[in-house]
Amino acid sequence: MGMLHTGHMSLVRLAAQQTPSVIVSIYANPSQLTTHGEKQSYPSTFDSDLERLVAMNDEMRHSCTGVIRAIFAPVDEEMYPCSPPDSIPQGIGGFVNILPISSLLEGRDRPSHFVGVSTICLKLFNAARPNTVFFGEKDFQQTIVIKRLVQDFLLDIKVVVGKTIREIDGLAISSRNVFLGTRRRAVATIMVRAMQAVRDAYEQNVMDRNQLLSVGNRIMEQERVEQEQLPEDQGATFAVIYFELVDPESLESLITIDPGNGAVLCGAIQMLPLKGGGDGEDQGLRDGADSVRLIDSIIL
């Protein structure tokens, strides 16, 4: 989707460590950006993305088995030749839906999101014909969707999942972080703090879903209340979209964890638009006017 960051670059490096020839795809997929306005406002960073990739490629020639051989940056008309460039899954054209995985977690309030993801990935796989593809663990549900896509459509492709890359304070690196600004960025760590507390409880042999989730929910609720009580030019409010303990393969909610099978803690929060704030405050891209959806996951 562009807006390359350290997490993306770690996947490029991982690919170069495991394969001799790497293709990097950069494409802002319109069937993931589900409104025309969202597509129009999505930041274009292609030139800076290209500069980063060229610099990394020069360095990888001396440290990795492989290098970047090509950057695949198609246009809408190439990827959606039979439907409008701003096509969405409810519109005309051919789309792929991996059910029931796509309808869970993110799919509950973004029902077309993974339809767009699976569709564009199948198109990219058909166009580039990779032997191996690399995805990040932060978007855990996406990795399961892609694995099912590969299985269901009999694709001879290996799916490799790279570890989540985090800031020093634990926040998962994401393209969306540039929208946060200083105030929301400080509060955005609340989800990973809650997840770490749940992981600590799990490591103390707590296996019950309700007990584990209550640990994280308590932490997030306390932070939410504290932020709402602050003056509006000081606080950063947020809403919890979901905070779930799921099976690592089916993504179905678990009642209790089987230690032999493990579990994945998946969550999403919405950092709400900023209110107030004086001149000179870093409010992030578009001056804090947009809500920012942040997702994360931790494997237990």
Side-chain angles (χ1 to χ4, degrees):
M1 297 284 285
M3 297 184 70
L4 298 186
H5 53 64
T6 308
H8 295 130
M9 304 307 278
S10 74
L11 292 176
V12 175
R13 183 178 298 279
L14 181 62
Q17 290 169 343
Q18 296 190 16
T19 64
S21 299
V22 178
I23 298 175
V24 178
S25 65
I26 300 178
Y27 178 61
N29 178 27
S31 62
Q32 285 171 252
L33 305 171
T34 53
T35 68
H36 183 70
E38 191 177 6
K39 168 72 173 175
Q40 292 298 105
S41 64
Y42 193 81
S44 176
T45 58
F46 183 78
D47 289 343
S48 59
D49 291 343
L50 186 59
E51 289 175 6
R52 293 193 69 176
L53 291 169
V54 169
M56 170 173 261
N57 211 31
D58 289 341
E59 183 271 322
M60 290 193 305
R61 293 182 192 279
H62 306 288
S63 61
C64 295
T65 303
V67 293
I68 301 170
R69 303 289 182 185
I71 295 172
F72 183 40
V75 297
D76 292 340
E77 289 76 12
E78 292 174 305
M79 300 313 293
Y80 293 88
C82 298
S83 55
D86 61 346
S87 55
I88 60 173
Q90 293 88 348
I92 60 174
F95 295 94
V96 179
N97 200 1
I98 308 297
L99 294 170
I101 300 293
S102 291
S103 65
L104 305 172
L105 300 172
E106 285 290 293
R108 290 191 187 122
D109 68 324
R110 302 173 74 195
S112 66
H113 174 69
F114 281 116
V115 177
V117 169
S118 3
T119 299
I120 197 58
C121 283
L122 183 58
K123 289 171 180 277
L124 291 171
F125 296 165
N126 284 336
R129 302 298 175 93
N131 298 312
T132 310
V133 292
F134 296 80
F135 290 84
E137 186 179 87
K138 175 179 74 72
D139 300 319
F140 188 84
Q141 184 176 8
Q142 176 173 268
T143 68
I144 301 301
V145 168
I146 298 305
K147 288 177 180 178
R148 289 287 181 90
L149 173 72
V150 166
Q151 286 180 307
D152 284 349
F153 287 85
L154 308 179
L155 304 177
D156 187 17
I157 296 174
K158 178 183 178 183
V159 180
V160 175
V161 179
K163 293 292 185 183
T164 301
I165 306 299
R166 299 184 180 276
E167 304 282 4
I168 293 175
D169 60 4
L171 182 68
I173 292 177
S174 167
S175 299
R176 296 175 180 175
N177 292 354
V178 299
F179 294 93
L180 293 173
T182 303
R183 226 189 312 162
R184 291 193 293 185
R185 169 65 181 78
V187 177
T189 59
I190 183 58
M191 185 162 56
V192 71
R193 285 186 273 136
M195 287 184 167
Q196 289 167 342
V198 172
R199 182 179 60 195
D200 291 344
Y202 170 71
E203 291 174 351
Q204 294 297 317
N205 296 318
V206 178
M207 300 291 159
D208 179 75
R209 161 199 170 81
N210 291 336
Q211 291 182 52
L212 287 167
L213 292 182
S214 68
V215 171
N217 284 325
R218 210 162 35 240
I219 291 171
M220 290 191 291
E221 178 61 13
Q222 180 179 349
E223 180 73 30
R224 187 191 66 79
V225 171
E226 289 177 1
Q227 291 299 319
E228 290 187 349
Q229 291 175 344
L230 289 172
E232 67 174 22
D233 62 345
Q234 297 178 25
T237 55
F238 65 93
V240 178
I241 302 171
Y242 62 84
F243 194 66
E244 293 284 351
L245 193 64
V246 300
D247 181 89
E249 293 188 4
S250 71
L251 299 186
E252 295 287 351
S253 295
L254 294 174
I255 301 301
T256 187
I257 299 178
D258 176 356
N261 192 44
V264 182
L265 189 60
C266 296
I269 61 173
Q270 194 91 356
M271 299 301 302
L272 301 178
L274 283 175
K275 296 180 180 179
D279 293 339
E281 179 188 2
D282 174 14
Q283 296 184 325
L285 205 60
R286 289 204 278 273
D287 298 323
D290 298 340
S291 291
V292 183
R293 187 186 187 104
L294 300 176
I295 65 173
D296 204 348
S297 62
I298 289 182
I299 297 176
L300 301 180

